[in-house]
Each structure stands twice: as C-alpha cells, then as structure tokens.
Amino acid sequence: MKISFIIVCYNTGELLETCLTSLLKKCPDQEYIAVDNHPEHPDTARFSAVFPEVRFIESPENGGFGAGNNLGASNAAGDILFFLNPDTEVMRFETAKLLKAFAENRDRICGFPLVYPNGKYCKPLKYIPELDFLYPKGMYNRLYKRVFSKDRDVSRLLYISGAAFALEKSLYEKAGGMDEEYFLFFEENDLRMCLKKIKSYTPYVLSEGFSIIHNEGTSYSRNAITWQAQSLYHYSRKWNKLYLIRLKLLGVTLSYIKKRLLKKDTLSSEMLYRELKGLVKK
C-alpha cells in the first residue's frame, strides 16, 4: 500500500515550503501532490524546482477546498489518500502504523494529533454540529486529552478535522469525494454524512508516534464569515437539517454575550450573527 499526500494551496508561500520540507523528511518514499488553487499567481512556479519529488497541479480556477482536493484525488495513484493543509508541519509520523491501521479496517477515516505551535490541541476533531454549536469550547481540551491518550476508535458523534485526515481512495470515491458546492467549511461534516449513508464510516485516531503542528490563522475576514454561513446553509438543506441555522444563531448569540462580559473582541460574532439572521429569513 502507498500513501498519496494531497495539499491544496492558495498563495501559501513559506508555509507550503515548511509543510513540504517536513513531509518529505518524515514521510519519505510516498506520493506528494500539491494542487495550486491560485491560477493568477501560482506557487507552482516558485516551488516545483525546489521540490522535484512533488507533483504540482495548477487548477484552472479557484473552486474551493473541496474541488481542489477532488482534483488531487483524481490524479493520485496511492491506495490511501492523506489530505493535509499547507499551513501544517509534520513533526512525527509512523508510516507503518498508518498502513497497519487500514489493513485492519478499510472503512476507517483516520485523524491525528493536531496542535498549535505552543503545543495546545488545534481542534483535531469536534462534535457534529447538533452538539458542537452549543458545546462549551473549554471542554474540548479534556476530550482531546482522553481521546488522544492512545490509538482508538472514536464516537460517530465526532468528525475528524479536514486539516489532516486519511482514508482509502476506494472509499473516498465510493462516497463521491467532497461536495464542491462548499467553497470552504463543512466539507468534513458532509463527507462524514456520505460515509454514513453508504455504511462505511469508522472514525479512528492514531495518537502514538504522530504529531502535526497546525499554524491555523486567528483572524476572521468578511469572506471567511460569508463562506461559513453559506456552507452551513448548503449542509442544512442537503441533509434536511435546517434547524441547525437557528441552533448556530443561538450559539453565536451566547458567544457574543460571553465576549462582551469578558470585554473581548466581538467583531467576528457580530459578523456571523448578521449572516445567520439573513439565512433564517430565507
């Protein structure tokens, strides 16, 4: 079995260089595919000579995260697809353990310990929206410490972060790949639902011998807020869960109140609140 690593990038520059350098060092002799979603100023020209082991694919347009991953998957020759964000750095990776995990159960979708540069967990998995929207964020660290204490199956009420996950290519194709109607956000939730629909969903985490730093951005842009709201709307309509919009609105309202009381920045909550209010009126 061979792993195809797929990285979708958009003007990521030095972050992509760091990611690829760590990946080639910690996971040698596999297939590496970088899909460039920025046709106007592609990273391809900058890095193709620096990383001859990596296959760079220029997307004709920026169709979003899901479309980029599907393009990479369609060009992958490996048995296992490993989707990795360009703002990550692979610190520890035991290839043999990953291959063994899939040899034991071909329906697995594997997640890994994702951490911020300071060592704290960076949302490697979360509860499904029905629970996550009202789940106290401070409780997640307790969950992570318990779940990532060893390699294990995890509850089907959890979904694995799209920043770093792996599954067999045949299963990904059977599920229909990622829904390209999502530009960004909710792709992992949607893939989870598709795998459940075909009754081939076994979430699993590999903890021992794995560590990936995620340099996730901390700032919110108008585009990101809009994409999040639009993706929630598409997910809710597709899976007949329109109640999730009101549930998310309640969660954002509670978050706003908490931030006001703690005198924290409320801009992102205010922006998302307005977007969600617009969706409720549809």
Side-chain angles (χ1 to χ4, degrees):
M1 299 181 79
K2 195 165 187 175
I3 306 169
S4 291
F5 289 91
I6 298 170
I7 302 169
V8 176
C9 51
Y10 182 91
N11 196 28
T12 45
E14 292 181 0
L15 286 173
L16 177 61
E17 185 174 9
T18 298
C19 176
L20 292 176
T21 299
S22 69
L23 183 60
L24 292 168
K25 181 179 179 180
K26 300 296 182 180
C27 318
D29 305 319
Q30 304 300 321
E31 182 180 45
Y32 317 97
I33 297 173
V35 178
D36 199 324
N37 260 359
H38 197 190
E40 298 87 357
H41 301 284
D43 284 326
T44 304
R46 179 178 176 182
F47 293 119
S48 57
V50 180
F51 299 102
E53 307 94 330
V54 180
R55 181 181 178 187
F56 287 88
I57 300 174
E58 291 186 28
S59 175
E61 62 180 358
N62 183 10
F65 182 71
N69 278 317
N70 286 343
L71 179 59
S74 67
N75 283 275
D79 307 284
I80 297 168
L81 302 179
F82 194 113
F83 297 97
L84 188 66
N85 272 21
D87 57 352
T88 58
E89 184 176 359
V90 180
M91 305 305 292
R92 292 188 296 157
F93 195 99
E94 294 190 13
T95 303
K97 282 193 69 174
L98 176 61
L99 297 177
K100 183 175 182 292
F102 285 106
E104 294 172 347
N105 188 338
R106 301 188 64 181
D107 284 344
R108 279 177 172 162
I109 176 169
C110 289
F112 308 87
L114 275 174
V115 296
Y116 290 108
N118 63 10
K120 294 184 178 180
Y121 284 107
C122 182
K123 298 171 285 188
L125 70 166
K126 297 180 75 175
Y127 280 112
I128 59 175
E130 289 88 331
L131 299 175
D132 174 63
F133 288 170
L134 295 176
Y135 189 76
K137 304 309 180 207
M139 296 294 290
Y140 269 119
N141 278 331
R142 295 184 183 180
L143 173 71
Y144 298 149
K145 288 178 182 178
R146 176 174 59 82
V147 168
F148 288 98
S149 63
K150 64 178 182 179
D151 303 338
R152 66 170 78 209
D153 290 316
V154 297
S155 169
R156 293 191 177 195
L157 294 177
L158 293 163
Y159 71 91
I160 292 166
S161 170
F165 73 99
L167 76 168
E168 284 206 7
K169 182 180 181 181
S170 58
L171 183 57
Y172 186 76
E173 292 174 337
K174 189 177 178 182
M178 292 190 185
D179 184 342
E180 297 183 11
E181 288 294 316
Y182 302 99
F183 187 80
L184 191 64
F185 300 111
F186 279 86
E187 298 90 353
E188 311 100 312
N189 277 293
D190 188 83
L191 184 59
R192 171 187 172 274
M193 293 295 291
C194 291
L195 291 172
K196 282 188 64 181
K197 188 175 181 179
I198 61 174
K199 299 180 180 179
S200 298
Y201 180 65
T202 306
Y204 188 78
V205 295
L206 283 166
S207 303
E208 301 162 9
F210 294 86
S211 180
I212 300 172
I213 291 177
H214 189 195
N215 296 290
E216 185 182 49
T218 56
S219 62
Y220 270 83
S221 69
R222 162 58 64 184
N223 284 340
I225 294 290
T226 300
W227 293 332
Q228 185 179 3
Q230 290 175 346
S231 292
L232 171 58
Y233 184 68
H234 177 58
Y235 177 84
S236 300
R237 284 179 59 86
K238 179 178 179 178
W239 299 107
N240 195 28
K241 296 174 179 284
L242 285 172
Y243 61 87
L244 287 176
I245 298 173
R246 293 186 181 276
L247 190 63
K248 179 65 174 178
L249 185 61
L250 174 59
V252 171
T253 302
L254 294 175
S255 176
Y256 171 80
I257 294 171
K258 181 179 178 181
K259 288 178 180 178
R260 284 291 301 270
L261 291 173
L262 297 175
K263 297 183 179 180
K264 293 184 177 181
D265 180 24
T266 61
L267 180 60
S268 61
S269 295
E270 292 174 26
M271 292 169 62
L272 186 53
Y273 178 86
R274 288 193 292 269
E275 292 283 350
L276 293 171
K277 284 289 286 186
L279 293 179
V280 169
K281 295 178 182 178
K282 281 191 175 183

